[in-house]
């Protein structure tokens, strides 16, 4: 049986042209060879598996090649190239700084640097994981690194550039390697699959590329693992099963449930995901990434940011066409907030489920209401009969208000200082003490349809003035119409009172946190409809003001504590003077 060689070693690049995803960097190195502008020290830094050590070996092999090709690549035929390919070259020396990180190891290297090369022009010293050198080793290496012999070239490679001392960085040319893009990784995996006689689905290779996180070595290792699992045919299902990756299908189904406002379906999908062993936070981050991908498909110019296969890309485009932009913005914010709060939450599953419920409530087909969707529509109050001018009851208010003109097909324009709701509003009752029904149903028809149903000969009911006491009474009465499970909102209504804004029909509520703001805004439509109907004034409006939380002064010293206590109890100063106490 022949010895198996992993793909990461078997298909390791041997020329600059075969390096994947680092075209700008390899072009710079080739130009340096072409123009004979070789530095004495280089620093290759970047994530793992992006080609740092590979490029260092190719560079060392090329500068010692005796017959360069026209495009300045190694010929692989001269004595130096053959010795390098057979791993017996005495011109190229590799040192693992992770296991040779002491001062004595660097001294041995310095002694070795003095020996000129036997074949070729340069002795190249590749020091891998150079950030693992000790402080003393770095200091011992400084002088040689700054002024090496003419035949010596140092190539330092590291994944953590920030751990290297500045004096080392200033003596080297720094090359930053980028993560390999998903497109480049997929193209290289397709090449390897063809060479190995493996039939691979493009979507499966995209998942492998995403899982590798920009490292080609990781991608080839995963590829070998999948081939061992599925044989010579790699399918999308084989990859997600072997790598324990959440399928795209779950997220497509979830977004469809959000758009339909189907809470039960979304919770069942989440439960199915948990039963398959996936972590809830992994699900939340995947959901946020899926919503982001749907958002970038809304604009043809940003579709290029989507890194998936061709057929899945079409599914993203189709779902993006069905999702309003406002829905995607709010859904992304909810998913991101859930991810941020996941670590500090005690009931993590409940946090995710509440997020899914709120995502379903963003649906344009299902708005938040106080009763279920199948509740019967609230009865509309009967139209008040038109009475003669002499029989009209005079409004009981401090100052008379002008009676607006009779209503036509469209409502009269509101005053500039008033803020009116765009949704349907119950007609104000002339009697403020009449019992009110707060059964809220789905949003009414459009304003144009309402205008067609309006009676042109019916005069508009004038807005009546109301007292602060009537406002407070109606405010507290609203608590009885809130569902019992909304305990925080009920508690807030019972413990706070609205403050009337002078000269207007609006009132102000003081809140202390963003949670209260979200809850009150969620019930703003129903609350204003209730108050306007109870108070007989269609101009009633609500405004929220966030109170600034003042930090308590910290009492650090005994003197500070004494002064604080003496401020509250002046007799303490007299007692201290009589007893002659001192503050330690």
């Amino acid at each position: 049986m022949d010895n198996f060689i992993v793909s990461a070693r078997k298909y390791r690049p041997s020329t600059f042209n075969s390096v994947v995803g680092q075209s700008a960097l390899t072009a710079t190195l080739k130009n340096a060879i072409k123009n004979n502008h070789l530095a004495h020290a280089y620093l290759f830094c970047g994530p793992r598996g992006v080609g740092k050590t590979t490029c260092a070996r190719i560079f060392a092999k090329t500068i010692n090649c005796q017959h360069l090709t026209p495009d300045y690549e190694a010929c692989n035929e001269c004595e130096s190239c053959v010795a390098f390919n057979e791993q017996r070259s005495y011109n190229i020396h590799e040192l693992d700084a992770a296991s040779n990180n002491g001062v004595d190891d660097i001294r041995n290297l310095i002694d070795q640097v003095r020996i000129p090369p036997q074949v070729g022009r340069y002795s190249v010293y590749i020091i891998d994981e150079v950030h693992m050198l000790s402080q003393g080793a770095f200091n011992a290496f400084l002088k040689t690194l700054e002024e090496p012999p003419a035949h010596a070239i140092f190539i330092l490679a590291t994944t953590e550039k920030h751990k290297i001392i500045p004096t080392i960085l200033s003596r080297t040319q720094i090359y930053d390697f980028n993560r390999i893009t998903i497109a480049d990784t997929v193209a290289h995996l397709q090449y390897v699959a063809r060479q190995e006689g493996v039939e691979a689905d493009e979507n499966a290779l995209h998942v492998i590329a995403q899982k590798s996180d920009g490292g080609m070595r990781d991608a080839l290792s995963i590829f070998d693992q999948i081939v061992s699992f599925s044989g010579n045919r790699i399918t999308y299902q084989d990859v997600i099963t072997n790598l324990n990756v959440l399928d795209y299908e779950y997220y497509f189904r979830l977004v469809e449930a959000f758009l339909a406002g189907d809470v039960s379906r979304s919770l069942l999908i989440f439960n199915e995901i948990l039963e398959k062993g996936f972590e809830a936070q992994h699900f939340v981050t995947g959901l946020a990434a899926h919503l982001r991908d749907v958002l970038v498909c809304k604009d043809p110019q940003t579709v290029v940011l989507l890194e998936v296969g061709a057929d899945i890309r079409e599914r993203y485009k189709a779902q993006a066409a069905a999702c309003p932009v406002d829905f995607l913005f709010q859904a992304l914010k909810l998913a991101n907030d859930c991810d941020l709060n996941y670590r500090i939450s005690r009931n993590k599953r409940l946090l995710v489920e509440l997020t899914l419920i709120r995502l379903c409530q963003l649906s344009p087909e299902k708005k938040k209401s106080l009763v279920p969707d199948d509740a019967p529509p609230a009865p509309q109050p009967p139209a008040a009969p038109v009475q003669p001018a002499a029989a009209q009851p005079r409004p009981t208010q401090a100052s008379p208000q002008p009676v607006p003109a009779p209503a036509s097909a469209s409502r009269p324009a509101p005053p500039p200082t008033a803020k009116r709701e765009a949704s349907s509003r119950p007609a104000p009752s002339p009697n403020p003490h009449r019992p009110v029904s707060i059964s809220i149903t789905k949003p009414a028809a459009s304003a144009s349809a309402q205008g067609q149903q309006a009676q042109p000969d019916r005069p508009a009911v004038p807005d009546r003035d109301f007292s602060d006491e009537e406002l407070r009474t109606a405010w507290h009465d609203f608590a009885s119409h809130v569902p019992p499970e909304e305990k925080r909102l009920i508690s807030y209504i019972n413990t706070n009172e609205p403050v009337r804004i002078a000269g207007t029909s609006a009132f102000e509520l003081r809140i202390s946190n963003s949670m209260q703001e979200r809850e009150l805004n969620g019930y703003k439509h129903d609350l204003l409809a209730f108050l306007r109907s109870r108070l007989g004034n269609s101009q009633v409006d609500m405004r929220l003001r966030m109170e600034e939380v003042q930090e308590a002064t910290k009492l650090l010293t005994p003197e500070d504590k004494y002064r604080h206590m003496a401020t509250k109890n002046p007799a303490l100063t007299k007692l201290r003077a009589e007893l002659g106490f001192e503050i330690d």
Side-chain angles (χ1 to χ4, degrees):
M1 178 182 296
D2 295 336
N3 292 331
F4 173 73
I5 301 177
V6 297
S7 299
R9 291 180 56 194
K10 185 176 181 180
Y11 295 97
R12 190 167 196 166
S14 59
T15 62
F16 285 122
N17 292 336
S18 59
V19 176
V20 180
Q22 309 294 344
S23 57
L25 189 145
T26 55
T28 303
L29 293 177
K30 290 175 66 174
N31 286 334
I33 298 173
K34 175 182 178 181
N35 300 323
N36 197 23
H37 287 174
L38 301 181
H40 63 273
Y42 296 88
L43 175 62
F44 292 172
C45 50
R48 68 181 189 276
V50 294
K52 299 185 297 296
T53 306
T54 297
C55 284
R57 291 178 178 178
I58 296 173
F59 183 70
K61 173 184 174 181
T62 305
I63 61 178
N64 280 314
C65 179
Q66 299 173 358
H67 306 288
L68 289 175
T69 62
D71 59 344
Y72 294 91
E73 294 279 4
C75 66
N76 289 320
E77 296 177 355
C78 65
E79 182 181 356
S80 177
C81 292
V82 172
F84 176 83
N85 293 336
E86 296 177 356
Q87 299 182 359
R88 56 178 177 83
S89 175
Y90 291 101
N91 290 5
I92 301 171
H93 312 273
E94 293 193 33
L95 177 68
D96 180 20
S99 56
N100 301 277
N101 54 7
V103 177
D104 293 337
D105 300 311
I106 295 299
R107 286 175 179 169
N108 295 333
L109 176 64
I110 293 173
D111 293 337
Q112 190 177 1
V113 168
R114 299 172 184 170
I115 304 174
Q118 301 301 315
V119 178
R121 298 176 56 189
Y122 299 100
S123 290
V124 183
Y125 297 87
I126 302 173
I127 305 178
D128 206 2
E129 303 299 334
V130 70
H131 65 275
M132 300 292 289
L133 290 178
S134 64
Q135 186 73 21
F138 272 130
N139 294 331
F141 191 38
L142 286 176
K143 187 63 177 177
T144 304
L145 184 64
E146 183 176 12
E147 297 178 357
H151 61 268
I153 293 180
F154 295 97
I155 302 178
L156 315 180
T158 179
T159 57
E160 302 183 43
K161 183 176 67 173
H162 60 279
K163 291 186 177 181
I164 301 177
I165 60 177
T167 50
I168 293 289
L169 297 177
S170 64
R171 288 166 168 80
T172 60
Q173 285 189 7
I174 302 175
Y175 289 79
D176 289 305
F177 283 68
N178 300 320
R179 293 184 183 275
I180 302 175
T181 63
I182 291 180
D184 290 338
T185 303
V186 171
H188 189 66
L189 290 176
Q190 289 175 337
Y191 165 76
V192 173
R194 288 194 300 268
Q195 296 297 318
E196 295 294 322
V198 176
E199 183 180 354
D201 184 8
E202 183 180 357
N203 293 328
L205 297 182
H206 270 279
V207 175
I208 295 176
Q210 291 173 355
K211 194 73 173 179
S212 65
D213 194 24
M216 183 59 70
R217 183 171 58 241
D218 292 352
L220 292 173
S221 299
I222 296 173
F223 176 82
D224 289 342
Q225 177 182 342
I226 301 300
V227 170
S228 300
F229 173 78
S230 59
N232 291 333
R233 175 172 174 78
I234 299 177
T235 63
Y236 173 76
Q237 191 63 39
D238 292 336
V239 173
I240 64 174
T241 301
N242 189 269
L243 299 182
N244 200 28
V245 176
L246 263 176
D247 190 2
Y248 292 114
E249 188 64 30
Y250 287 113
Y251 296 121
F252 282 116
R253 289 165 53 197
L254 271 172
V255 174
E256 292 173 359
F258 298 156
L259 293 176
D262 195 340
V263 176
S264 302
R265 182 182 171 193
S266 63
L267 294 180
L268 289 174
I269 295 174
F270 176 55
N271 183 70
E272 180 182 350
I273 292 172
L274 293 181
E275 288 180 347
K276 290 194 173 183
F278 293 100
E279 292 185 0
Q281 188 171 22
H282 178 65
F283 159 76
V284 173
T285 55
L287 177 60
H290 179 82
L291 293 171
R292 174 261 181 194
D293 291 341
V294 175
L295 180 62
V296 300
C297 287
K298 293 291 292 183
D299 191 339
Q301 296 181 351
T302 57
V303 173
V304 295
L305 301 177
L306 189 63
E307 298 176 328
V308 295
D311 53 345
I312 296 182
R313 185 189 300 267
E314 295 303 320
R315 291 198 61 184
Y316 271 109
K317 290 181 180 179
Q319 191 163 83
C323 295
V325 176
D326 292 340
F327 165 81
L328 292 175
F329 286 156
Q330 298 179 52
L332 272 171
K333 184 179 185 305
L334 289 176
N336 186 60
D337 291 343
C338 180
D339 186 26
L340 295 176
N341 298 327
Y342 187 86
R343 184 179 60 84
I344 61 175
S345 175
R346 291 197 173 187
N347 194 338
K348 302 182 185 300
R349 174 165 183 168
L350 179 60
L351 172 67
V352 179
E353 290 178 339
L354 286 175
T355 302
L356 296 178
I357 293 173
R358 296 182 64 186
L359 286 169
C360 291
Q361 292 174 344
L362 297 178
S363 167
E365 299 179 4
K366 182 175 182 181
K367 301 297 183 181
K368 184 175 182 181
S369 61
L370 292 177
V371 296
D373 291 340
D374 54 357
Q380 297 294 333
V386 180
Q387 300 179 3
Q392 290 281 355
R394 179 168 299 177
T396 59
Q397 55 189 22
S399 58
Q401 297 181 356
V403 179
S408 59
S410 60
R411 293 189 177 184
T417 59
K419 184 179 181 182
R420 304 176 67 92
E421 292 292 320
S423 58
S424 62
R425 179 185 299 116
S429 171
N431 184 5
H433 303 291
R434 192 186 66 150
V436 179
S437 173
I438 193 62
S439 297
I440 306 300
T441 60
K442 290 185 177 180
S446 61
S448 60
Q450 292 179 2
Q452 295 174 1
Q453 297 176 2
Q455 299 179 5
D457 57 345
R458 176 183 172 185
V461 179
D463 292 333
R464 59 176 294 275
D465 196 9
F466 55 89
S467 63
D468 294 347
E469 182 63 28
E470 290 177 330
L471 174 61
R472 287 192 292 268
T473 302
W475 164 261
H476 291 299
D477 288 347
F478 181 73
S480 61
H481 299 281
V482 179
E485 59 268 16
E486 299 287 352
K487 296 181 180 179
R488 284 196 301 267
L489 181 60
I490 296 174
S491 175
Y492 178 84
I493 295 175
N494 292 331
T495 56
N496 293 270
E497 292 185 350
V499 179
R500 180 86 174 270
I501 300 177
T504 67
S505 298
F507 61 91
E508 185 179 69
L509 296 174
R510 294 179 175 85
I511 57 177
S512 57
N513 53 64
S514 58
M515 182 176 295
Q516 292 179 351
E517 181 182 9
R518 287 196 300 267
E519 291 179 346
L520 288 171
N521 283 330
Y523 284 91
K524 181 177 180 180
H525 170 74
D526 301 323
L527 172 61
L528 292 180
F530 178 86
L531 295 178
R532 289 166 180 168
S533 178
R534 175 63 65 89
L535 299 175
N537 191 316
S538 61
Q539 308 298 326
V540 176
D541 194 12
M542 178 180 73
R543 301 174 187 175
L544 304 179
R545 189 177 74 178
M546 186 76 70
E547 292 183 341
E548 296 183 0
V549 180
Q550 298 181 354
E551 296 184 357
T553 304
K554 296 182 179 180
L555 306 177
L556 303 177
T557 64
E559 183 70 25
D560 294 338
K561 297 178 182 178
Y562 166 74
R563 290 177 182 174
H564 180 70
M565 296 171 62
T567 303
K568 293 186 176 180
N569 188 0
L572 187 61
T573 305
K574 182 179 179 182
L575 177 63
R576 176 192 174 191
E578 293 178 352
L579 299 179
F581 287 159
E582 296 294 337
I583 300 176
D584 295 334

